[in-house]
Amino acid sequence: MSASRRSGTTDELGPDEPERDGPGGSSAGSAGAAGAEGSAGGSDLLAALLDGMDAALCAFDADGVVTHWNREAERILGWSADEAVGRHGFAGWAVREADAEEVEGRLLSAMQAPGRQVHEFALLTKDGGRVLVRTQSAAVRGPDGKPAGVYCAFSEVHAQIDLERSIALSEALFEDASWGVVLVDADLRPAVVNAHAARALGIGRTSVLGRPLGELLAQGVEELESALTHVLAEGAPPAPAEVWVSVRTPEGERRRCWRCGFVRLASPLAEEPVPLGVGWLFQDVTAAKQGEQEAAMLRFRTNQLHRAARAAAECEDPAEAATVHLDFALAGFADHALIDRVAGGAVADTDTAEPVRLVRVAVTPSGAPGPSLLGGEAGLPVRYGEGHPALQCVARAGSVRADAGNLSAEKAREWAVGRQWPADVVHALCAVLRSRGRTLGVVTFLRGSGRSAFERSDAVYAEDVAVRIASSLDLAGALGPE
């Protein structure tokens, strides 16, 4: 079956056949050989265009005779172009007899109406089934401007509804979604963002478009770009991913945790999948993650205090029990720790006339990890300078935090050594040892550059440990040497 025959056009007229004009009809004959060749080429092109359409299309002349029928119409209803072209209306084959008059009237009424008309009705398939279709019909005008027929494009209603739902979903995601939605192109640059994502990135919706992610994020860019590249190459991951990023804002960098989902976008118009980019959806879960981390840290520290108490209860020497508490407290909390006791035993709150001297009684090993070492038998005071954090802690009877700040590596080393601490220390936390209304000394926890500075929650934990150490040291002093 030729392309021209499928489309219902006539390329050559027999000697007894009259010429007919209509939608897609041919009125050659006096144009000569060249005109005939041009008409044939135009009919082939028209047939190819009609058969390549994604929508089903049929056309009627002014008398209601089918003149065109493309492949998509054949796919939906099962009737071939040979079976459809030339029939008068849909009665008896594509529409039930009872509905034929109404359907034909609604279709042909488009010849007298301006613009396009949209209708929904049921058509019959060749095997006897029924298909609900949505049609768009409009008049075809002849050379004199008068209606010469009607063309009708139709598709299955569920397919049209699916398309409308897809468009509606896309518009809703980029307008009203309560999570961030970003369309990232193949170059890993934002192409479309919704309002929520723009707020999360701290920039306007138009300002973010086309900019590299490295200009929007200070940290986490490599991990995010790696995920986007993987999705472009392999497809969507099986589960959401949590990514920690630092967002650049006019107020400074903000540390956030985003729970991200990714989908690869491909063109539906290409035979082979052509990646259009990645749909990136994310939700800010920073508060929840911080809550989980704090809860996990609290559980761990509570367990450590419990284990330390059980282990210390088995120590015959109260001073050894104090170092047991120190060793258990170090896990996940600090790199070094030391205990300094007030020379002479203790200081009451009223004893403020003379300066306090501290004696080192326990310290963690500075090399290989191991249990804390007891010392201080000689009773020699530690050479702490004026304003040392440990001396401030005793004077205030409260915790003191110290930090090397933004000093260079060499200056930070001098800062630590000058305070009688290991050279790699940059953060310190001193907690006072109090028992029976007296100050017994100070416990100092130290962190290197690989850890963050001590926070208020760390000080609370250090004070809990200090209470247990102070009780053991007070007991050791009360018992005295054996």
Side-chain angles (χ1 to χ4, degrees):
M1 178 171 59
S2 66
S4 60
R5 187 177 181 185
R6 285 196 305 270
S7 64
T9 60
T10 305
D11 296 332
E12 298 181 0
L13 298 176
D16 298 327
E17 292 180 274
E19 295 181 355
R20 183 181 66 184
D21 292 333
S26 173
S27 58
S30 62
E37 291 178 1
S39 176
S43 297
D44 290 340
L45 176 60
L46 176 61
L49 291 174
L50 294 180
D51 284 341
M53 293 177 60
D54 292 331
L57 186 137
C58 64
F60 304 87
D61 62 14
D63 298 326
V65 176
V66 178
T67 60
H68 293 78
W69 191 266
N70 72 347
R71 288 182 178 176
E72 184 65 12
E74 179 179 346
R75 185 194 66 80
I76 294 176
L77 298 180
W79 301 97
S80 67
D82 282 344
E83 296 169 314
V85 172
R87 289 179 179 263
H88 189 281
F90 284 156
W93 62 286
V95 174
R96 295 189 310 171
E97 290 286 355
D99 301 330
E101 182 177 353
E102 178 188 358
V103 170
E104 183 174 344
R106 291 164 67 181
L107 288 177
L108 296 182
S109 66
M111 286 192 294
Q112 310 301 327
R116 292 179 298 176
Q117 292 188 337
V118 178
H119 302 286
E120 289 185 4
F121 45 75
L123 297 181
L124 295 178
T125 62
K126 187 175 181 179
D127 57 7
R130 300 183 70 192
V131 178
L132 184 63
V133 298
R134 179 175 296 175
T135 67
Q136 294 187 34
S137 54
V140 177
R141 304 290 174 179
D144 55 359
K146 296 180 179 180
V150 176
Y151 80 82
C152 173
F154 62 92
S155 60
E156 298 176 80
V157 167
H158 72 80
Q160 183 71 18
I161 293 176
D162 288 344
L163 176 61
E164 293 176 1
R165 284 173 177 164
S166 298
I167 296 173
L169 174 61
S170 176
E171 292 180 351
L173 286 176
F174 285 106
E175 293 296 335
D176 306 323
S178 58
W179 56 88
V181 182
V182 181
L183 175 58
V184 182
D185 63 21
D187 294 329
L188 306 185
R189 296 172 182 253
V192 185
V193 299
N194 71 344
H196 187 97
R199 289 192 300 269
L201 292 169
I203 195 170
R205 295 183 65 177
T206 56
S207 302
V208 72
L209 303 182
R211 298 178 61 179
L213 294 176
E215 295 183 5
L216 306 173
L217 306 176
Q219 296 179 2
V221 179
E222 295 82 1
E223 184 177 359
L224 185 56
E225 288 184 342
S226 176
L228 294 172
T229 303
H230 172 81
V231 173
L232 281 172
E234 304 292 337
E242 293 178 353
V243 182
W244 281 94
V245 299
S246 292
V247 183
R248 302 181 192 271
T249 66
E251 297 78 20
E253 296 181 4
R254 292 184 304 166
R255 183 75 169 162
R256 314 305 296 168
C257 181
W258 291 341
R259 180 171 291 140
C260 304
F262 305 94
V263 290
R264 181 169 61 179
L265 306 178
S267 173
L269 303 180
E271 294 183 5
E272 296 294 332
V274 177
L276 295 178
V278 176
W280 168 30
L281 295 84
F282 66 90
Q283 189 175 25
D284 194 323
V285 293
T286 307
K289 293 302 294 182
Q290 288 177 341
E292 292 175 5
Q293 292 175 352
E294 291 173 1
M297 181 178 63
L298 181 60
R299 286 194 301 269
F300 175 76
R301 290 178 176 178
T302 301
N303 289 336
Q304 286 297 97
L305 292 174
H306 174 72
R307 294 172 61 196
R310 290 175 60 92
E314 303 299 325
C315 296
E316 296 183 5
D317 183 2
E320 182 183 356
T323 62
V324 168
H325 285 291
L326 187 67
D327 292 335
F328 273 92
L330 275 180
F333 183 68
D335 298 318
H336 308 284
L338 49 91
I339 299 175
D340 296 325
R341 184 161 185 174
V342 173
V347 176
D349 293 340
T350 57
D351 298 340
T352 58
E354 297 183 1
V356 175
R357 296 184 304 166
L358 298 176
V359 178
R360 182 71 47 81
V361 297
V363 63
T364 55
S366 58
S372 301
L373 305 176
L374 286 169
E377 292 84 357
L380 298 177
V382 184
R383 295 180 295 107
Y384 286 155
E386 184 178 356
H388 191 281
L391 297 177
Q392 295 182 38
C393 181
V394 173
R396 300 176 184 177
S399 300
V400 175
R401 284 178 281 175
D403 198 291
N406 296 323
L407 297 177
S408 63
E410 186 61 29
K411 292 293 184 180
R413 179 184 178 88
E414 295 177 2
W415 177 85
V417 173
R419 285 159 177 76
Q420 309 300 314
W421 295 331
D424 60 340
V425 169
V426 294
H427 310 295
L429 172 61
C430 298
V432 66
L433 302 176
R434 297 275 297 176
S435 179
R436 293 190 293 168
R438 301 171 304 153
T439 298
L440 304 183
V442 179
V443 58
T444 303
F445 296 98
L446 305 170
R447 288 178 177 175
S449 58
R451 292 179 180 264
S452 60
F454 288 101
E455 299 178 356
R456 179 57 193 158
S457 59
D458 298 323
V460 172
Y461 178 62
E463 290 165 0
D464 285 344
V465 177
V467 168
R468 290 162 169 77
I469 294 176
S471 298
S472 298
L473 291 180
D474 194 15
L475 179 59
L479 293 177
E482 296 182 358

